[in-house]
Amino acid sequence: MTRVELQTGFPSDFLWGGATAANQLEGGWDEDGRGPSIDDAFPGGKERLNILSSEDFDWTIDPQKYRYPNHIGIDHYHRYKEDIALFAEMGFKCYRFSISWSRIFPKGTETEPNQKGLAFYDSLINECVKHHIEPVITLAHYETPLYLAKHYGGWQNKQLVTVFDRFVKTVIHHFGDRCHYFLTFNEINSAATFPVLGQAMVPSTGAKQKKNVFQAWHNQFVASAMAVQTAHTFDADIKVGNMLLLATSYAYNADPKNQLATLRHNQDFNYFCTDVQVRGAYPAYTKRLLAQYNLTLADLDRTEAELALIQQYPVDFISLSYYMSTAINVTEDTGATANGNLIGGVKNPYLKSSDWGWQIDPTGLTIGLEELYDRYQKPIFIVENGLGARDDFKDGKVYDDYRIDFLKSHIEAMQVAIADGVELMGYTPWGCIDLVSASTGEMAKRYGFIYVDLDDAGEGTFDRFKKKSFYWYQQVIASNGANLSNDLSY
Ligand code: BG6
């Protein structure tokens, strides 16, 4: 009897590439008419999220008190041609980046766009096209203009839907002839733990009241539907995806109470936003979810017209970030907790952790992909994944075998999901070039295939160097994922 072989290869049009976000790499924060974005008020250092979550944080930029690494990023604003040439050398088929809202509309409220901002992205996109790299554009990657956070209170205010719609229309009408993939709100569900990033809301503007977080989500669901409408009206072939922070969740043990808590956690964290954006309607469990905070749907300002729009314009595909899984235990206190990508949890004894305490779990990627595909039957695009690690830079080289091991195991996990029928569109590892960390503002936490000579104090030449993983990923792409061997000369 012959053995049945499952298809584990990647589709021939698979989008291999890398991912970044404007605020974390561009720099040039006040150049050519750009207005400040919320990230320009984020201090650097491990205390960043604690500072942003404190009652007295009021968006003041105070260079006497803090360093602001996002102001300089890695100077991509001036070096993007060199960077894109390096991506092309690796063989990128696509490049995911964000368009900084405040580079196009400095305060967010203007009616006319900043032409120099458009010119910058014209040049960047043309550079991608020249190298046959498909741009994948994030419309909102934690980058609300600071003015809208300070004067409108962030996304809890419905006026943001109107001004964001103007930004989206400008972007799609201007760049839509060369760009076919757009993502709406980066890690939209991360507001469950840190509304400052995605919703531009802090405790002093009401971020601790869950009603505001749910209202902000609703406003973003409407804005997401409007973005789909704009894109499809402009060109029916443009595809728009949501963007989910996927943290596959396990019950700590077989106690049914932990199993139920895990189901609830999945609904509330992993699925709630995606259910609305993909299925076009609020899920049945919304009432139970809101009741946890003593809220009902009547507490939210949702019009019939908005709900109809959400229903009419669901996203075309699901995009997600995946770095780690999380374990749920409500029956006992094991004492051990784990850090993670904006969401922590109980320490899972079966997993190892990164230098920053994020639990490494490639199997969790297979499980997460299959759960999502079973639930929605929509194509999935992994637009972030990677290992934040300290690199040892010596004589122009970085031997980052640990990063290769991480990525290799996750690509293998993708192959298992593909063999089980998951429709996977592409893979863009995070921070394909070293950039400023979102949660800590550090340079020391590196994800890239390309090393950038810059440290946490802002010192360095900004020169770029190819790590060992650069050549490894080049080989992965050239073989369309067939050759994952780390046996290469460097
Ligand atoms: C995701 C974000 O949360 O994870 C990125 O979309 C971020 O912006 C990435 O950089 C990695 O997180 P960090 O905190 O290590 O930079």
Side-chain angles (χ1 to χ4, degrees):
M1 216 167 73
T2 53
R3 224 171 129 235
V4 176
E5 293 290 341
L6 290 174
Q7 178 62 43
T8 55
F10 289 88
S12 57
D13 57 354
F14 192 75
L15 290 166
W16 297 99
T20 64
N23 73 89
Q24 292 171 253
L25 93 163
E26 282 182 6
W29 75 297
D30 57 357
E31 281 185 53
D32 295 331
R34 184 184 182 277
S37 141
I38 54 167
D39 315 81
D40 295 313
F42 293 179
K46 289 206 164 56
E47 286 309 306
R48 170 180 271 196
L49 289 175
N50 288 336
I51 293 166
L52 300 179
S53 306
S54 71
E55 288 291 341
D56 53 0
F57 182 78
D58 66 356
W59 298 112
T60 302
I61 299 176
D62 181 358
Q64 305 301 324
K65 202 166 167 191
Y66 298 121
R67 271 201 68 246
Y68 294 96
N70 300 56
H71 292 191
I72 49 169
I74 56 160
D75 196 33
H76 179 73
Y77 190 67
H78 301 109
R79 297 166 195 247
Y80 63 95
K81 289 191 179 168
E82 177 192 349
D83 294 341
I84 291 167
L86 286 165
F87 300 159
E89 192 182 332
M90 270 187 279
F92 278 21
K93 311 276 182 216
C94 74
Y95 170 42
R96 174 191 175 216
F97 59 94
S98 66
I99 292 195
S100 163
W101 185 353
S102 63
R103 214 178 268 296
I104 309 295
F105 290 100
K107 291 202 295 197
T109 51
E110 297 85 350
T111 49
E112 293 303 320
N114 170 24
Q115 292 302 329
K116 287 189 175 165
L118 290 175
F120 169 68
Y121 291 109
D122 263 328
S123 179
L124 191 153
I125 288 167
N126 290 344
E127 210 56 29
C128 290
V129 172
K130 183 176 104 188
H131 288 291
H132 308 290
I133 295 174
E134 178 77 47
V136 176
I137 294 182
T138 315
L139 294 163
H141 194 123
Y142 298 158
E143 288 161 335
T144 304
L146 187 58
Y147 185 85
L148 298 177
K150 275 185 161 174
H151 299 279
Y152 288 69
W155 273 94
Q156 63 192 297
N157 187 330
K158 278 199 179 186
Q159 291 191 57
L160 265 75
V161 178
T162 309
V163 290
F164 185 70
D165 179 50
R166 191 178 301 142
F167 166 65
V168 170
K169 285 202 166 84
T170 304
V171 166
I172 291 181
H173 293 170
H174 195 90
F175 304 114
D177 58 335
R178 287 153 285 165
C179 305
H180 309 98
Y181 298 93
F182 290 88
L183 314 178
T184 54
F185 294 94
N186 183 66
E187 298 190 331
I188 186 167
N189 53 327
S190 70
T193 48
F194 288 102
V196 56
L197 301 171
Q199 299 186 336
M201 287 158 30
V202 287
S204 59
T205 55
K208 285 200 173 147
Q209 284 129 43
K210 280 286 173 180
K211 181 181 166 190
N212 296 332
V213 171
F214 281 98
Q215 185 64 53
W217 266 328
H218 176 73
N219 297 342
Q220 294 185 331
F221 298 151
V222 177
S224 171
M226 289 165 85
V228 175
Q229 181 183 27
T230 298
H232 288 180
T233 308
F234 180 79
D235 179 349
D237 287 336
I238 291 181
K239 303 276 182 237
V240 182
N242 69 336
M243 203 299 202
L244 152 79
L245 188 173
L246 173 67
T248 304
S249 307
Y250 306 126
Y252 190 74
N253 58 29
D255 187 326
K257 290 196 182 69
N258 285 330
Q259 298 291 335
L260 181 61
T262 305
L263 171 71
R264 296 278 178 260
H265 175 81
N266 264 322
Q267 291 171 326
D268 300 356
F269 188 77
N270 283 323
Y271 298 147
F272 173 65
C273 295
T274 307
D275 276 352
V276 181
Q277 291 183 289
V278 172
R279 293 170 162 168
Y282 278 72
Y285 60 80
T286 308
K287 284 185 189 155
R288 192 260 314 145
L289 169 57
L290 287 171
Q292 281 170 210
Y293 306 105
N294 212 18
L295 295 168
T296 70
L297 277 169
D299 291 315
L300 304 181
D301 179 0
R302 307 182 314 155
T303 68
E304 287 303 318
E306 289 167 354
L307 294 175
L309 203 69
I310 289 171
Q311 188 166 41
Q312 204 181 343
Y313 295 104
V315 291
D316 302 304
F317 65 92
I318 294 165
S319 85
L320 57 89
S321 66
Y322 178 82
Y323 293 90
M324 37 146 292
S325 60
T326 181
I328 310 290
N329 187 350
V330 293
T331 56
E332 58 181 312
D333 184 2
T334 56
T337 55
N339 294 332
N341 182 22
L342 306 173
I343 175 177
V346 179
K347 188 149 180 45
N348 184 334
Y350 298 99
L351 301 178
K352 292 197 174 118
S353 299
S354 76
D355 293 350
W356 271 260
W358 299 17
Q359 299 186 102
I360 300 169
D361 182 11
T363 307
L365 178 58
T366 307
I367 296 169
L369 290 173
E370 298 205 19
E371 285 176 342
L372 285 173
Y373 196 69
D374 285 350
R375 192 175 179 95
Y376 302 112
Q377 293 89 46
K378 286 268 184 191
I380 302 177
F381 198 160
I382 301 170
V383 296
E384 281 189 39
N385 173 238
L387 179 71
R390 279 178 212 291
D391 284 339
D392 187 15
F393 177 64
K394 226 182 255 157
D395 303 327
K397 292 199 166 183
V398 177
Y399 289 86
D400 55 344
D401 296 89
Y402 40 89
R403 182 168 293 110
I404 294 173
D405 289 347
F406 180 100
L407 296 170
K408 177 175 181 286
S409 63
H410 284 76
I411 293 173
E412 285 165 350
M414 285 153 50
Q415 289 174 320
V416 178
I418 290 173
D420 213 53
V422 172
E423 228 178 309
L424 205 56
M425 299 164 61
Y427 181 60
T428 57
W430 174 250
C432 46
I433 179 165
D434 293 345
L435 40 62
V436 178
S437 152
S439 58
T440 62
E442 292 167 287
M443 272 308 297
K445 189 180 189 189
R446 296 171 184 273
Y447 288 87
F449 302 112
I450 300 162
Y451 185 89
V452 178
D453 178 26
L454 183 66
D455 66 16
D456 286 338
E459 303 293 330
T461 60
F462 290 87
D463 286 347
R464 276 65 165 147
F465 299 88
K466 298 168 198 168
K467 303 182 193 177
K468 184 177 179 190
S469 58
F470 181 102
Y471 296 100
W472 173 80
Y473 196 45
Q474 187 181 53
Q475 161 197 290
V476 171
I477 298 176
S479 65
N480 198 26
N483 186 356
L484 302 180
S485 164
N486 185 12
D487 186 13
L488 44 99
S489 59
Y490 173 58

